Amino acid sequence: MHPELEALLALQEKDQAVTLTDEALAALAPATQALDESQAAAERALAAARAAIQAALDRRDELEGKIASYRTMQEQRRQRLEWVRGAKEASTLMAELDLARSVLAKEEAEFMRSGDAVTEAERRAAEAEQALAQLRAQQAAEREGLAGRREQIAGEREHAVAEREQAAARVTPAMLARYERIRRGKAPLALYSLHVDACGHCFTAVPTQRRTLIQRGVTIEACEACGVLLYAKE
Ligand SMILES: [Zn+2]
């Protein structure tokens, strides 16, 4: 076996351990995202319910103002009626009073309904608030579990990285640079064993002469097709 090969294979093994912890961390992301999304939806529902209360209050205030000004106008008509002398003017005012009375009655009915709408909006907001609180309570255990799992994996990763650094220190700088360069490429790993007479990654045939060098451990050869480093399994 080539003297550097053992150190390289050990390094690759440690890198795979680091990758596993990265994958384990990434695997937790969808669960966290799902929790965040359902919480955000409940928060949006509550915000919408609170906005609906404000809209209902605004509507009620608007009607209240309208009714007050109608009443003032009615009062003015009544006062004018006391002072009019002509019968025609009096009957016009009477007709106006009648018409305004029925308009006012409609607005007052509308005002009552607007009060009910406020109560209903407040009830819905209270429901949305309760739903959010319930969701948060439901999620608490799951979030705690996820946080614990994340912490555990982070610890494992730290350990794996430390071991990886130790393994890297046992590889010569030139070979380490070569290894890192290959790792940045498309192949998942930098080292592959020969698969019969071919590269174990891309399965391109390796010429006999180079294969012999690899098998004798004379040099560490790269696959001519995909560039990974090749070794012979003992
Ligand atoms: Zn190859």
Side-chain angles (χ1 to χ4, degrees):
M1 197 190 253
H2 188 279
E4 286 235 79
L5 192 58
E6 208 170 329
L8 272 174
L9 285 171
L11 173 60
Q12 174 156 286
E13 199 186 305
K14 299 304 176 190
D15 269 326
Q16 282 177 284
V18 174
T19 304
L20 278 179
T21 59
D22 286 338
E23 285 168 359
L25 273 178
L28 296 181
T32 308
Q33 201 186 341
L35 289 173
D36 289 348
E37 274 168 12
S38 59
Q39 184 179 312
E43 283 167 351
R44 276 196 301 275
L46 177 56
R50 282 178 177 158
I53 295 178
Q54 194 51 55
L57 285 170
D58 289 348
R59 171 74 180 141
R60 196 185 62 182
D61 291 350
E62 182 196 334
L63 286 164
E64 201 172 20
K66 227 166 155 184
I67 289 166
S69 79
Y70 281 169
R71 282 187 180 141
T72 307
M73 281 155 71
Q74 275 301 67
E75 191 47 42
Q76 286 163 352
R77 286 188 193 101
R78 273 191 212 97
Q79 281 171 9
R80 259 159 54 208
L81 193 59
E82 281 178 33
W83 295 100
V84 290
R85 292 287 169 261
K88 195 182 170 217
E89 205 185 337
S91 80
T92 306
L93 261 175
M94 292 286 279
E96 271 181 30
L97 268 165
D98 276 349
L99 183 66
R101 196 177 294 122
S102 74
V103 170
L104 189 57
K106 272 184 201 154
E107 292 293 336
E108 279 168 345
E110 190 62 33
F111 177 71
M112 295 302 284
R113 280 195 290 276
S114 76
D116 293 344
V118 169
T119 309
E120 176 62 15
E122 282 169 346
R123 191 187 61 76
R124 286 195 179 151
E127 268 178 16
E129 207 165 326
Q130 205 178 357
L132 177 60
Q134 227 165 36
L135 184 76
R136 284 201 173 123
Q138 277 170 7
Q139 287 192 351
E142 204 178 333
R143 282 191 189 276
E144 202 179 318
L146 281 168
R149 184 89 190 94
R150 236 190 323 268
E151 206 175 317
Q152 187 199 337
I153 298 168
E156 284 168 14
R157 187 180 193 282
E158 212 176 307
H159 181 72
V161 167
E163 286 199 330
R164 191 266 170 203
E165 291 314 312
Q166 282 173 15
R170 289 188 207 105
V171 180
T172 62
M175 189 54 87
L176 185 62
R178 197 176 170 193
Y179 171 88
E180 299 287 21
R181 203 164 46 243
I182 299 167
R183 250 166 64 82
R184 283 192 294 272
K186 281 180 188 151
L189 299 172
L191 289 109
Y192 282 84
S193 66
L194 285 172
H195 184 81
V196 195
D197 61 351
C199 162
H201 174 241
C202 71
F203 300 105
T204 301
V206 178
T208 318
Q209 201 184 345
R210 302 188 72 202
R211 217 165 62 230
T212 311
L213 292 174
I214 294 164
Q215 277 156 349
R216 286 189 192 150
V218 179
T219 53
I220 295 177
E221 296 281 321
C223 167
E224 289 174 314
C226 73
V228 302
L229 301 178
L230 295 168
Y231 66 94
K233 269 192 178 152
E234 300 282 287

